[in-house]
Amino acid sequence: MARQGEKSIIHTLRDVLLQFAVKSKKLASPMLEPFGRRPEPATVDADELTALRSKLRRIRATLRDAESLSVSDHSVRLWLSELGDLEHRAEDVLEELEYESRRAAQLEELKIDLLCAATTGKRRREVSLLFAAAPPRRLRRKIDDIWARYEEISSDRKKLRLRPGDGVPRPAVGALLPSSALLPIGQLHGRERDIEKVAALVRELPDGGRNYAVVPIYGMAGVGKTALVQHVFNMEAVDSHFELKLWIWVSQEFDVVGATRKIVEAITRSRLECGELSTLHELIVERLAGKRCLIVLDDVWDDNPSHWDSLMAPLSRCALGSSVVVTTRSRKVAHMVNPKVYHLKCLSDDSCWLICQRRAFLNNNDGIGQELIGIGEKIAKKCGGLPLAAEAAGSALSNSVTPRHWDEVLESDLWADMEVKNLVLPALKVSYDHLLTPLKRCFAVCSLFPKGFVFDKDALIQLWMALGFVDSEGGCSPEVIGNRYFSDLVSRCFFSPSPSDDDGEGKFIMHDLYQELAQFVSGSECRMVQNFHSIKMDESPRHLSFVSEECQSGKEFHLNFSQGHRDLRTFLFVARTKQNHGEIPYRAMIPSGLITGFECIRALDLSNTNITELPDSIGNLIHLRYLGLENTSIQMLPESICALFHLQTIKLNHSLSLTQLPHGIKLLLNLRCLEIPQSDIQMPSGLGELTELQRLPFFTVGNESAGCGIEKLSELVNLRGHLHIKGLNNLDSAQAAMANLSNKLGIQRLTLEWSEPTNFGKNLSDLQSNALNGRADNRAPGFSTIADQVLKCLKPHSNLEELTIKGYNGSFLPTWLGWLPLNRLSCIELKDCNSCKELPPLGCLPSLKHVLIQLLPNIRVVGPEFFGDVGEIASSSNSKVFNVFPVLESLTFRNMEAWEEWSGVKSDHFPNLKFLGIAKCRKLKLLPEFTSEPELRIRHCDLLQMPLCQKYWNPMQNVPSPSEISYTCTAEGDTLVLEASCSYGV
């Protein structure tokens, strides 16, 4: 003990002396100047810094102007490319200067802590070098290089002014031909039902007090909107229903006067030079008054409501029953003209094959062999349901109707074929050209991901933010603006929700043709590398990704970069398919110093690799904003990472080897997302200072005084999305109240978890000590009142949407009533609540759609308490709830070992229940009747299943005993499916 005391004193004394040495050196430096120790000359003065910023703004303005021009001169393209490089270099230098101004003020304390923790002289020297200021001469040289390069580039272009000959205004409509009402040649495959539905819609009487109905047809480029409406337009039943039919191709070049003039010209069949809107309106009223009209406005892009109202104004004089059909690629436009939108979806693979056949054989496909059919059907699947793609694929097949050629088309990248590109890309590029500049950059960088990739919306927005693609707008957060960008791209069909339920919410896919478009428009800026073993990069893209193939999973590969990749801003490892946690698709042999050689890197994602540690020198990547280390074997992050002031996102999900986070993480004041694995990792102290945090999906409450307490959550008022708090058994009510969950209005999903104690050998004195300190043992029934108090103090805000409670051993009833109202709660899960004997009154929640109750072993009866006193609760919460579980769609019970009775269900309860699942509730004997007739799925519930099985069991010899039978019963509507399996003893 004496020796330990001496060591403690020695370490304390050493730390004090070290702090004194560091601070005294800093204080003494001005006094040493007269003796020859002068600081190095300043990097740049304030005037020069202002001039550099001003020049950067002008460069940006020039590049933005150039984006509206179609430049064909190669020398001008090269000049603009060089100007873009200069823009990035100027941004980097300005950031570096800003970083150097903050380094001394913010890193001194961290440096002292690391020096105190260093045990060797070598380690102290490493720390000193790590936090050393950048040599002023190097910064000075960078600035001089920028000025020189600027003069060189601008000298031929009159100081960054585009000359008239540099380009012509970019055509808004691309190379597309105008549409007309003439019926296209050939049958419209796979659209029979769509034709019937749209034909019925155009003939329906309008609602809303207008004389005319508006039918918006919305869908992605190439899906066949125009062809569908052409067939409807020329139907005999439609033709006889209307007195006058007009077809107007609107296109992107929209102005109210021009579009109105087109309507007049379609009526009069003559060209007009009139530019007066009122005159044009009078001409329309004169010709259309009292007539039942059908007007098709094809390819509408303008989403300005006032423009639309002005265009539609004269149609109020048409006869009742008139109709306006609008085709558009924009969901925003469709909803503007009518909230009831007809969404034209993609075709089936069979229909695409019919289109391919028609194009490949020019409608003469007699005698086509089975071998060609088999190959052709596989090619048709590549079309993704787009008729335009099927037409292009058929064109490629028509070059040679032989199995050999078709096999070549099948095995190749269909969309890389120049003939196919020329047929498809012009139509898609119209959508791209119509995007705002920030959205163009956001879309182009998606070329780093492979075809079929499932995008996580939040992760993609975080990448956009890291790369500076999300512009600041007023007081909106970048996440809000990024979500706005993403929604705009979704509404224009660049993304669509993932069809797989396994992918979960917030997951999206991109059609293969749009992926091809992204690669086309990104040019040399982005490069995606596939099919690699040993890689040597000779080009210099600004954004780079490596994509693993399934056949390469787990194989080692080597990266060998040539010089010139210090300008990389994005470096990603992308897993093509969803990874199981613990599976490592990449075994990357990364040369020493490669990562830290990316001086300009903004986004670095090493997820799903076998990396185990990051070098201390990662602290030199001062521009880094996004760091992905998900599903890796990383054990700890170096403290030097806390010097990355610009860091916004750290992703460590499923990296289960991680043991701790950096102690200096409080210095990352720009951190907006911190995702850590759901383990017993200790939360670092100072977390409460990261007030910009938007996403902290997991927070664990430790049982030690060190680290970050739950009270620090009180200061994180900007948290959004999901918050999972684990270890609530280590709290008392006072501590729980300090979390102040009710002030976190951005939290949509909340998970509250009481953990199992790690020491099962606690004696009575330990339990008594915990009781005195107000801490609850999750396994001791006597402490359930403490759990009640903790849960009561963790009341969330009233607009919470999803709630999970796990491991809670208190009583739900009094606490739950204190939480109400929860009028927006749509999903609740109660799991592993071992001491609960009654369910909370969930029936009164007006928005509840999904309920899961699992492992509540002491529940014997589910009765009226589950439904609640609807009238009393509704009146107290100012909500109108007239039925029990008024909108509930899914109800699941699992592992309810003691549950025997379900009573109190009335005919007006569960009016919208669609699914009822019961599993491993072996004592439950009888189910109530539901008027909604939900789908029923019962598994491992002997007393429920045996009567049904015995009823339908065919008489046979040697029927096994009930104990030898495992039953599964599934009822869907009127169909009852019974499964029974048994094992016989020898």
Side-chain angles (χ1 to χ4, degrees), residues 152-201:
E152 179 184 351
I153 293 174
S154 62
S155 60
D156 296 333
R157 298 292 167 183
K158 295 183 179 180
K159 303 299 181 183
L160 296 181
R161 291 182 182 176
L162 286 172
R163 300 180 309 185
D166 286 341
V168 296
R170 186 186 300 276
V173 296
L176 297 182
L177 292 174
S179 68
S180 77
L182 286 178
L183 197 65
I185 299 174
Q187 183 181 352
L188 195 63
H189 295 288
R191 294 299 187 198
E192 293 78 14
R193 292 187 64 186
D194 293 305
I195 292 174
E196 291 178 6
K197 289 180 180 179
V198 173
L201 288 173

Short mmCIF file of all heavy atoms in Angstrom, two decimals, residues 152-201:
data_model
loop_
_atom_site.label_atom_id
_atom_site.label_comp_id
_atom_site.label_asym_id
_atom_site.label_seq_id
_atom_site.Cartn_x
_atom_site.Cartn_y
_atom_site.Cartn_z
N GLU A 152 -2.45 32.60 -64.25
CA GLU A 152 -2.21 31.80 -65.45
C GLU A 152 -3.51 31.41 -66.14
O GLU A 152 -3.64 31.51 -67.36
CB GLU A 152 -1.42 30.54 -65.06
CG GLU A 152 -1.13 29.62 -66.23
CD GLU A 152 -0.43 28.35 -65.77
OE1 GLU A 152 -0.04 28.26 -64.59
OE2 GLU A 152 -0.30 27.43 -66.61
N ILE A 153 -4.50 30.97 -65.33
CA ILE A 153 -5.76 30.53 -65.90
C ILE A 153 -6.58 31.69 -66.45
O ILE A 153 -7.18 31.61 -67.52
CB ILE A 153 -6.59 29.78 -64.83
CG1 ILE A 153 -5.89 28.46 -64.46
CG2 ILE A 153 -7.99 29.48 -65.33
CD1 ILE A 153 -6.57 27.73 -63.30
N SER A 154 -6.57 32.79 -65.73
CA SER A 154 -7.45 33.90 -66.11
C SER A 154 -6.88 34.79 -67.21
O SER A 154 -7.61 35.59 -67.80
CB SER A 154 -7.74 34.76 -64.88
OG SER A 154 -6.55 35.33 -64.37
N SER A 155 -5.59 34.65 -67.48
CA SER A 155 -4.97 35.57 -68.44
C SER A 155 -5.58 35.45 -69.83
O SER A 155 -5.67 36.44 -70.56
CB SER A 155 -3.47 35.29 -68.51
OG SER A 155 -3.25 33.94 -68.92
N ASP A 156 -6.04 34.25 -70.22
CA ASP A 156 -6.62 34.06 -71.55
C ASP A 156 -8.12 34.32 -71.60
O ASP A 156 -8.72 34.25 -72.65
CB ASP A 156 -6.36 32.64 -72.05
CG ASP A 156 -4.88 32.36 -72.24
OD1 ASP A 156 -4.13 33.33 -72.50
OD2 ASP A 156 -4.49 31.19 -72.11
N ARG A 157 -8.70 34.60 -70.47
CA ARG A 157 -10.15 34.76 -70.44
C ARG A 157 -10.59 36.09 -69.85
O ARG A 157 -11.70 36.20 -69.33
CB ARG A 157 -10.78 33.62 -69.64
CG ARG A 157 -10.52 32.26 -70.24
CD ARG A 157 -11.24 32.08 -71.55
NE ARG A 157 -10.76 30.92 -72.28
CZ ARG A 157 -11.17 30.54 -73.49
NH1 ARG A 157 -12.08 31.26 -74.10
NH2 ARG A 157 -10.68 29.49 -74.08
N LYS A 158 -9.76 37.06 -69.92
CA LYS A 158 -10.11 38.41 -69.45
C LYS A 158 -10.67 38.38 -68.04
O LYS A 158 -11.80 38.81 -67.77
CB LYS A 158 -11.10 39.07 -70.40
CG LYS A 158 -10.53 39.32 -71.76
CD LYS A 158 -11.53 40.05 -72.66
CE LYS A 158 -10.92 40.32 -74.02
NZ LYS A 158 -11.86 41.03 -74.92
N LYS A 159 -9.81 37.85 -67.16
CA LYS A 159 -10.14 37.87 -65.73
C LYS A 159 -11.47 37.19 -65.41
O LYS A 159 -12.35 37.75 -64.76
CB LYS A 159 -10.13 39.29 -65.18
CG LYS A 159 -8.81 40.04 -65.39
CD LYS A 159 -7.66 39.34 -64.71
CE LYS A 159 -6.35 40.10 -64.91
NZ LYS A 159 -5.20 39.43 -64.32
N LEU A 160 -11.63 35.98 -65.90
CA LEU A 160 -12.74 35.08 -65.54
C LEU A 160 -14.10 35.47 -66.14
O LEU A 160 -15.11 35.03 -65.66
CB LEU A 160 -12.90 34.98 -64.01
CG LEU A 160 -11.74 34.36 -63.27
CD1 LEU A 160 -12.08 34.30 -61.79
CD2 LEU A 160 -11.43 32.98 -63.78
N ARG A 161 -14.07 36.27 -67.20
CA ARG A 161 -15.36 36.56 -67.85
C ARG A 161 -15.53 35.66 -69.05
O ARG A 161 -14.71 35.65 -69.96
CB ARG A 161 -15.43 38.02 -68.30
CG ARG A 161 -15.49 38.99 -67.13
CD ARG A 161 -15.60 40.41 -67.62
NE ARG A 161 -15.61 41.35 -66.51
CZ ARG A 161 -15.61 42.67 -66.67
NH1 ARG A 161 -15.59 43.20 -67.88
NH2 ARG A 161 -15.62 43.45 -65.61
N LEU A 162 -16.59 34.90 -69.09
CA LEU A 162 -16.84 34.02 -70.22
C LEU A 162 -17.09 34.86 -71.47
O LEU A 162 -17.89 35.81 -71.45
CB LEU A 162 -18.08 33.16 -69.93
CG LEU A 162 -17.88 32.02 -68.94
CD1 LEU A 162 -19.23 31.40 -68.63
CD2 LEU A 162 -16.94 30.98 -69.48
N ARG A 163 -16.44 34.52 -72.56
CA ARG A 163 -16.63 35.24 -73.80
C ARG A 163 -17.87 34.72 -74.51
O ARG A 163 -18.28 33.58 -74.29
CB ARG A 163 -15.40 35.06 -74.69
CG ARG A 163 -14.13 35.58 -74.06
CD ARG A 163 -12.95 35.39 -74.97
NE ARG A 163 -12.87 34.00 -75.44
CZ ARG A 163 -11.85 33.54 -76.17
NH1 ARG A 163 -10.86 34.36 -76.51
NH2 ARG A 163 -11.83 32.29 -76.57
N PRO A 164 -18.46 35.52 -75.39
CA PRO A 164 -19.67 35.05 -76.08
C PRO A 164 -19.46 33.75 -76.84
O PRO A 164 -20.38 32.96 -76.97
CB PRO A 164 -19.99 36.21 -77.03
CG PRO A 164 -19.38 37.41 -76.38
CD PRO A 164 -18.14 36.93 -75.68
N GLY A 165 -18.26 33.53 -77.33
CA GLY A 165 -18.01 32.32 -78.10
C GLY A 165 -17.75 31.10 -77.26
O GLY A 165 -17.56 30.00 -77.80
N ASP A 166 -17.72 31.24 -75.94
CA ASP A 166 -17.41 30.10 -75.09
C ASP A 166 -18.53 29.07 -75.03
O ASP A 166 -18.30 27.92 -74.70
CB ASP A 166 -17.10 30.56 -73.66
CG ASP A 166 -15.72 31.22 -73.57
OD1 ASP A 166 -14.92 31.00 -74.48
OD2 ASP A 166 -15.48 31.93 -72.57
N GLY A 167 -19.72 29.48 -75.34
CA GLY A 167 -20.82 28.52 -75.28
C GLY A 167 -22.12 29.20 -75.61
O GLY A 167 -22.21 30.42 -75.69
N VAL A 168 -23.13 28.40 -75.83
CA VAL A 168 -24.47 28.91 -76.07
C VAL A 168 -25.34 28.46 -74.92
O VAL A 168 -25.01 27.49 -74.22
CB VAL A 168 -25.04 28.37 -77.40
CG1 VAL A 168 -24.21 28.88 -78.56
CG2 VAL A 168 -25.04 26.84 -77.40
N PRO A 169 -26.42 29.16 -74.65
CA PRO A 169 -27.27 28.72 -73.54
C PRO A 169 -27.65 27.26 -73.68
O PRO A 169 -27.99 26.79 -74.76
CB PRO A 169 -28.50 29.64 -73.68
CG PRO A 169 -27.96 30.86 -74.36
CD PRO A 169 -26.90 30.37 -75.30
N ARG A 170 -27.57 26.56 -72.57
CA ARG A 170 -27.87 25.13 -72.57
C ARG A 170 -29.34 24.92 -72.92
O ARG A 170 -30.22 25.47 -72.27
CB ARG A 170 -27.59 24.55 -71.18
CG ARG A 170 -27.74 23.04 -71.13
CD ARG A 170 -27.60 22.54 -69.69
NE ARG A 170 -26.31 22.87 -69.14
CZ ARG A 170 -25.21 22.16 -69.31
NH1 ARG A 170 -25.27 21.06 -70.05
NH2 ARG A 170 -24.07 22.51 -68.75
N PRO A 171 -29.63 24.13 -73.94
CA PRO A 171 -31.05 23.89 -74.27
C PRO A 171 -31.75 23.17 -73.14
O PRO A 171 -31.23 22.23 -72.57
CB PRO A 171 -30.97 23.00 -75.53
CG PRO A 171 -29.60 22.38 -75.48
CD PRO A 171 -28.71 23.39 -74.80
N ALA A 172 -32.94 23.65 -72.83
CA ALA A 172 -33.64 23.13 -71.66
C ALA A 172 -34.24 21.76 -71.89
O ALA A 172 -34.45 21.01 -70.97
CB ALA A 172 -34.74 24.11 -71.23
N VAL A 173 -34.52 21.43 -73.16
CA VAL A 173 -35.26 20.20 -73.41
C VAL A 173 -34.40 19.09 -73.97
O VAL A 173 -34.90 18.04 -74.34
CB VAL A 173 -36.44 20.47 -74.37
CG1 VAL A 173 -37.42 21.41 -73.73
CG2 VAL A 173 -35.94 21.04 -75.69
N GLY A 174 -33.10 19.29 -74.06
CA GLY A 174 -32.23 18.24 -74.54
C GLY A 174 -32.54 17.90 -75.99
O GLY A 174 -32.95 18.73 -76.80
N ALA A 175 -32.34 16.64 -76.36
CA ALA A 175 -32.50 16.22 -77.74
C ALA A 175 -33.84 15.52 -77.96
O ALA A 175 -33.98 14.70 -78.87
CB ALA A 175 -31.35 15.28 -78.12
N LEU A 176 -34.82 15.82 -77.14
CA LEU A 176 -36.09 15.12 -77.25
C LEU A 176 -36.97 15.75 -78.33
O LEU A 176 -36.97 16.97 -78.53
CB LEU A 176 -36.83 15.15 -75.91
CG LEU A 176 -36.15 14.44 -74.75
CD1 LEU A 176 -37.03 14.53 -73.52
CD2 LEU A 176 -35.86 13.00 -75.09
N LEU A 177 -37.74 14.89 -79.02
CA LEU A 177 -38.69 15.38 -80.00
C LEU A 177 -40.01 15.73 -79.32
O LEU A 177 -40.41 15.06 -78.37
CB LEU A 177 -38.94 14.30 -81.06
CG LEU A 177 -37.75 13.98 -81.98
CD1 LEU A 177 -38.12 12.79 -82.88
CD2 LEU A 177 -37.38 15.18 -82.83
N PRO A 178 -40.71 16.75 -79.83
CA PRO A 178 -42.02 17.06 -79.26
C PRO A 178 -42.98 15.88 -79.48
O PRO A 178 -42.86 15.12 -80.42
CB PRO A 178 -42.47 18.29 -80.05
CG PRO A 178 -41.20 18.87 -80.60
CD PRO A 178 -40.29 17.71 -80.85
N SER A 179 -43.94 15.75 -78.59
CA SER A 179 -44.94 14.68 -78.72
C SER A 179 -46.14 15.21 -79.48
O SER A 179 -46.35 16.41 -79.62
CB SER A 179 -45.36 14.19 -77.34
OG SER A 179 -46.09 15.21 -76.66
N SER A 180 -46.96 14.29 -79.97
CA SER A 180 -48.21 14.67 -80.65
C SER A 180 -49.28 13.66 -80.27
O SER A 180 -49.03 12.65 -79.63
CB SER A 180 -48.01 14.69 -82.17
OG SER A 180 -48.00 13.38 -82.69
N ALA A 181 -50.49 13.92 -80.74
CA ALA A 181 -51.62 13.06 -80.41
C ALA A 181 -51.67 11.80 -81.26
O ALA A 181 -52.48 10.91 -80.99
CB ALA A 181 -52.93 13.84 -80.57
N LEU A 182 -50.82 11.72 -82.27
CA LEU A 182 -50.86 10.54 -83.15
C LEU A 182 -50.48 9.29 -82.38
O LEU A 182 -49.55 9.29 -81.57
CB LEU A 182 -49.90 10.74 -84.32
CG LEU A 182 -50.36 11.72 -85.41
CD1 LEU A 182 -49.30 11.84 -86.48
CD2 LEU A 182 -51.69 11.29 -86.01
N LEU A 183 -51.20 8.21 -82.65
CA LEU A 183 -50.96 6.95 -81.97
C LEU A 183 -49.66 6.33 -82.45
O LEU A 183 -49.43 6.23 -83.65
CB LEU A 183 -52.12 6.00 -82.25
CG LEU A 183 -52.29 4.79 -81.32
CD1 LEU A 183 -52.61 5.27 -79.92
CD2 LEU A 183 -53.39 3.89 -81.84
N PRO A 184 -48.75 5.96 -81.52
CA PRO A 184 -47.49 5.35 -81.93
C PRO A 184 -47.72 3.99 -82.57
O PRO A 184 -48.72 3.30 -82.30
CB PRO A 184 -46.71 5.22 -80.62
CG PRO A 184 -47.75 5.20 -79.56
CD PRO A 184 -48.88 6.05 -80.06
N ILE A 185 -46.78 3.60 -83.44
CA ILE A 185 -46.89 2.30 -84.11
C ILE A 185 -46.61 1.19 -83.12
O ILE A 185 -45.68 1.26 -82.32
CB ILE A 185 -45.89 2.24 -85.28
CG1 ILE A 185 -46.20 3.34 -86.30
CG2 ILE A 185 -45.91 0.86 -85.94
CD1 ILE A 185 -45.19 3.43 -87.41
N GLY A 186 -47.39 0.14 -83.17
CA GLY A 186 -47.15 -1.01 -82.31
C GLY A 186 -48.09 -1.04 -81.11
O GLY A 186 -48.64 -0.03 -80.68
N GLN A 187 -48.22 -2.24 -80.59
CA GLN A 187 -49.10 -2.45 -79.44
C GLN A 187 -48.46 -1.93 -78.16
O GLN A 187 -47.23 -1.94 -78.01
CB GLN A 187 -49.38 -3.95 -79.29
CG GLN A 187 -50.35 -4.30 -78.17
CD GLN A 187 -50.57 -5.80 -78.07
OE1 GLN A 187 -50.11 -6.56 -78.93
NE2 GLN A 187 -51.27 -6.23 -77.03
N LEU A 188 -49.29 -1.47 -77.25
CA LEU A 188 -48.80 -0.99 -75.95
C LEU A 188 -48.87 -2.15 -74.96
O LEU A 188 -49.92 -2.44 -74.40
CB LEU A 188 -49.65 0.19 -75.47
CG LEU A 188 -49.08 1.03 -74.32
CD1 LEU A 188 -47.78 1.70 -74.75
CD2 LEU A 188 -50.08 2.08 -73.88
N HIS A 189 -47.75 -2.82 -74.77
CA HIS A 189 -47.74 -4.04 -73.97
C HIS A 189 -47.81 -3.74 -72.48
O HIS A 189 -47.16 -2.82 -71.99
CB HIS A 189 -46.46 -4.83 -74.26
CG HIS A 189 -46.36 -5.35 -75.65
ND1 HIS A 189 -47.15 -6.38 -76.11
CD2 HIS A 189 -45.59 -4.96 -76.70
CE1 HIS A 189 -46.86 -6.62 -77.39
NE2 HIS A 189 -45.90 -5.78 -77.77
N GLY A 190 -48.62 -4.53 -71.78
CA GLY A 190 -48.65 -4.47 -70.33
C GLY A 190 -49.39 -3.29 -69.74
O GLY A 190 -49.34 -3.08 -68.52
N ARG A 191 -50.11 -2.51 -70.57
CA ARG A 191 -50.78 -1.31 -70.07
C ARG A 191 -52.30 -1.39 -70.21
O ARG A 191 -52.98 -0.35 -70.14
CB ARG A 191 -50.27 -0.08 -70.83
CG ARG A 191 -48.81 0.26 -70.57
CD ARG A 191 -48.57 0.58 -69.12
NE ARG A 191 -47.21 1.07 -68.87
CZ ARG A 191 -46.64 1.10 -67.68
NH1 ARG A 191 -47.32 0.64 -66.63
NH2 ARG A 191 -45.43 1.56 -67.51
N GLU A 192 -52.83 -2.56 -70.40
CA GLU A 192 -54.27 -2.69 -70.63
C GLU A 192 -55.09 -2.12 -69.47
O GLU A 192 -56.04 -1.34 -69.68
CB GLU A 192 -54.64 -4.16 -70.87
CG GLU A 192 -54.08 -4.75 -72.16
CD GLU A 192 -52.61 -5.12 -72.07
OE1 GLU A 192 -52.08 -5.16 -70.93
OE2 GLU A 192 -51.98 -5.36 -73.11
N ARG A 193 -54.71 -2.48 -68.24
CA ARG A 193 -55.46 -2.00 -67.07
C ARG A 193 -55.26 -0.50 -66.89
O ARG A 193 -56.19 0.23 -66.50
CB ARG A 193 -55.02 -2.74 -65.82
CG ARG A 193 -55.42 -4.22 -65.81
CD ARG A 193 -55.11 -4.86 -64.48
NE ARG A 193 -55.88 -4.28 -63.41
CZ ARG A 193 -55.72 -4.57 -62.12
NH1 ARG A 193 -54.80 -5.45 -61.76
NH2 ARG A 193 -56.48 -4.00 -61.21
N ASP A 194 -54.05 -0.01 -67.15
CA ASP A 194 -53.79 1.43 -67.02
C ASP A 194 -54.64 2.22 -68.01
O ASP A 194 -55.17 3.29 -67.68
CB ASP A 194 -52.30 1.73 -67.25
CG ASP A 194 -51.42 1.15 -66.16
OD1 ASP A 194 -51.67 1.46 -64.98
OD2 ASP A 194 -50.49 0.39 -66.47
N ILE A 195 -54.75 1.71 -69.23
CA ILE A 195 -55.56 2.40 -70.24
C ILE A 195 -57.01 2.49 -69.79
O ILE A 195 -57.65 3.55 -69.89
CB ILE A 195 -55.45 1.68 -71.60
CG1 ILE A 195 -54.03 1.83 -72.17
CG2 ILE A 195 -56.48 2.22 -72.59
CD1 ILE A 195 -53.79 1.03 -73.43
N GLU A 196 -57.54 1.40 -69.27
CA GLU A 196 -58.93 1.40 -68.81
C GLU A 196 -59.14 2.38 -67.66
O GLU A 196 -60.13 3.13 -67.64
CB GLU A 196 -59.32 -0.02 -68.36
CG GLU A 196 -59.43 -1.03 -69.48
CD GLU A 196 -59.77 -2.42 -68.97
OE1 GLU A 196 -60.03 -2.53 -67.73
OE2 GLU A 196 -59.77 -3.37 -69.76
N LYS A 197 -58.22 2.39 -66.71
CA LYS A 197 -58.38 3.26 -65.54
C LYS A 197 -58.28 4.73 -65.92
O LYS A 197 -59.09 5.55 -65.47
CB LYS A 197 -57.31 2.93 -64.50
CG LYS A 197 -57.52 1.59 -63.80
CD LYS A 197 -56.41 1.34 -62.78
CE LYS A 197 -56.61 0.00 -62.08
NZ LYS A 197 -55.53 -0.27 -61.09
N VAL A 198 -57.31 5.09 -66.75
CA VAL A 198 -57.16 6.50 -67.14
C VAL A 198 -58.32 6.94 -68.02
O VAL A 198 -58.83 8.07 -67.89
CB VAL A 198 -55.80 6.70 -67.86
CG1 VAL A 198 -55.70 8.12 -68.41
CG2 VAL A 198 -54.64 6.44 -66.91
N ALA A 199 -58.77 6.05 -68.89
CA ALA A 199 -59.94 6.40 -69.72
C ALA A 199 -61.16 6.67 -68.86
O ALA A 199 -61.97 7.57 -69.16
CB ALA A 199 -60.22 5.27 -70.71
N ALA A 200 -61.31 5.91 -67.78
CA ALA A 200 -62.44 6.13 -66.87
C ALA A 200 -62.27 7.45 -66.12
O ALA A 200 -63.24 8.18 -65.91
CB ALA A 200 -62.55 4.97 -65.89
N LEU A 201 -61.04 7.76 -65.74
CA LEU A 201 -60.79 9.00 -64.99
C LEU A 201 -61.10 10.23 -65.82
O LEU A 201 -61.68 11.21 -65.32
CB LEU A 201 -59.34 9.05 -64.51
CG LEU A 201 -58.96 8.09 -63.38
CD1 LEU A 201 -57.44 8.13 -63.12
CD2 LEU A 201 -59.69 8.46 -62.09
#
